[in-house]
Amino acid sequence: MAVWDDLVGQERAVRQLTAAARDADAYVTAEAEKGGSAVLSGSAMTHAWLFTGPPGAGREQAARAFAAALQCVSPDRALGGSPGCGFCEGCHTTMVGTHADVTVVRTDLLSIGVKETRALVREAQMSPAGGRWQVIVLEDADRLTEGAGNVLLKAVEEPAPRTVWLLCAPSTEDVLPTIRSRCRHLSLRTPPVEAVADLLMRRDGIDPETAAFAARATQGHIERALRLATDERARARRKAVLKLPGRVDDVGGALRAAQELIDAAAEDAKQVAEELDAKETEELRAALGAAEGKRLPRGTAGAMKELEDKQKRRSTRTQRDSLDLALSDLTAFYRDVLARQLGSSVALSHDESATQIGQLAATSRPEQTLRRIEAVLECRRALDRNVAPLLAVEAMTMALRAG
């Protein structure tokens, strides 16, 4: 199976990445044969890439697949085959995350700071240990602080000869202009619902009915579709969110709905914390030499405090991500209402709520629905600006009530 097989609906991007991987392979081969005199200019390959696209488009998967193709050592390349076979040691170790020359950076926190970025830049200056390229995949480039972006700029501007930066962000506007101007831009699109359903059946063994439901409900978001298809809690949470539009008829109902939405997000964060925090804490205590049930050795309290701060920031992001998922479902619900009001024959994202959608479409006007969609989007923008979550959601539910 080639490394590109999970990039559903991205044929144009796959063609571009395949051409770049082929030129990169030729560059490394020529460099070895000519003693380092090969040149990269004018080829489809470059040292810095920016992958953008809407949530669920597969930015991270595309970056990892490209990293695997760059490390491909399949003998078929000598016979005209394209890099990225998916079976050789370079491809396999990259895809499972164990390749020594591929660093994948993701964050559970709200931002990536200067300290972490400087460590990455130092690593990027090293020559490949055994692979063909030193590849740095930064999955959350949009979370770089301004200071971290300035640190990264120099490395992207003057990279080491065989270092490749693969940055992922929702859009070019989420990255500093000075960085994006030095990257080759690759834009991905939301994959078709049918293609996502097919991927869930083929790759994850999901039954056809569940796969079709999950792909349609998430509007082509691959990761959310997989979670919805396999996690009963996710399905229950989604049902609760879709009941919200019918519960904002009065002020009290709107405020209660807001509080319940916040409580559900906090519960999500708590579940993640229970799974990770205890394990991390125990591992750190063991590394610091603290016996079970005993106090920490002298001088190690600072390390434990740093871990606790990291866990609190991760909990905040988990809560924000859970809220964002709920708001995405609400946006899609009102989009279905608007489609019915305008007489569109487009398939409903939430066909299990067809009765509720029909009733709301019949008892309200399209301009009200548009205002409600804008209220949900404004809530998402407020959360991005670090407005207190309860205040942002209460303002949204009151706006939904007013219509």
Side-chain angles (χ1 to χ4, degrees), residues 114-375:
V114 171
K115 181 179 178 181
E116 302 95 313
T117 308
R118 282 178 176 159
L120 278 179
V121 170
R122 285 194 296 269
E123 184 174 350
Q125 298 305 311
M126 301 172 63
S127 298
R132 300 172 70 78
W133 295 87
Q134 179 78 249
V135 184
I136 312 292
V137 181
L138 188 54
E139 292 190 350
D140 300 290
D142 55 309
R143 295 185 183 271
L144 288 166
T145 64
E146 184 176 355
N150 290 329
V151 170
L152 179 62
L153 175 61
K154 187 69 173 178
V156 172
E157 194 173 31
E158 299 177 4
R162 282 168 60 186
T163 293
V164 182
W165 288 90
L166 307 181
L167 312 182
C168 303
S171 73
T172 57
E173 300 304 317
D174 294 308
V175 180
L176 287 176
T178 48
I179 291 179
R180 67 173 182 252
S181 65
R182 289 162 174 80
C183 296
R184 184 163 298 170
H185 180 213
L186 188 73
S187 177
L188 304 178
R189 67 186 183 110
T190 300
V193 169
E194 296 77 11
V196 174
D198 179 71
L199 176 66
L200 295 179
M201 292 185 288
R202 171 172 51 84
R203 185 190 66 183
D204 304 298
I206 308 298
D207 67 88
E209 183 177 353
T210 302
F213 157 75
R216 183 176 61 253
T218 57
Q219 288 296 287
H221 192 300
I222 298 173
E223 293 179 5
R224 289 179 179 174
L226 177 60
R227 184 180 181 188
L228 193 62
T230 57
D231 188 346
E232 180 60 38
R233 291 182 305 180
R235 291 193 289 272
R237 201 155 43 242
R238 177 175 176 274
K239 288 180 181 178
V241 169
L242 295 182
K243 291 179 181 178
L244 188 146
R247 301 179 54 208
V248 295
D249 293 337
D250 56 65
V251 172
L255 296 181
R256 283 193 298 272
Q259 184 64 63
E260 290 174 10
L261 201 58
I262 295 296
D263 291 344
E267 183 63 26
D268 265 1
K270 181 180 177 181
Q271 289 174 356
V272 172
E274 289 175 349
E275 295 171 3
L276 296 178
D277 289 4
K279 179 182 178 181
E280 288 179 345
T281 301
E282 190 58 36
E283 288 177 350
L284 181 58
R285 288 179 62 87
L288 295 175
E292 185 175 353
K294 303 294 184 180
R295 296 180 62 182
L296 288 169
R298 186 184 301 273
T300 60
M304 188 61 68
K305 179 65 165 59
E306 184 177 350
L307 176 62
E308 291 172 355
D309 290 342
K310 175 185 175 183
Q311 290 171 343
K312 289 178 182 178
R313 294 196 300 272
R314 181 173 62 204
S315 178
T316 300
R317 176 174 175 181
T318 302
Q319 184 174 354
R320 296 284 177 87
D321 288 347
S322 179
L323 276 175
D324 189 68
L325 177 57
L327 297 177
S328 295
D329 286 334
L330 272 180
T331 304
F333 176 89
Y334 284 114
R335 168 258 190 196
D336 285 345
V337 173
L338 184 63
R340 287 296 169 265
Q341 289 173 326
L342 299 179
S344 172
S345 59
V346 66
L348 295 177
S349 303
H350 308 293
D351 56 356
E352 73 275 26
S353 301
T355 300
Q356 183 184 3
I357 290 170
Q359 290 174 346
L360 190 56
T363 57
S364 61
R365 301 185 305 279
E367 52 267 31
Q368 290 178 294
T369 304
L370 286 171
R371 285 196 293 268
R372 286 168 173 149
I373 292 175
E374 180 57 35

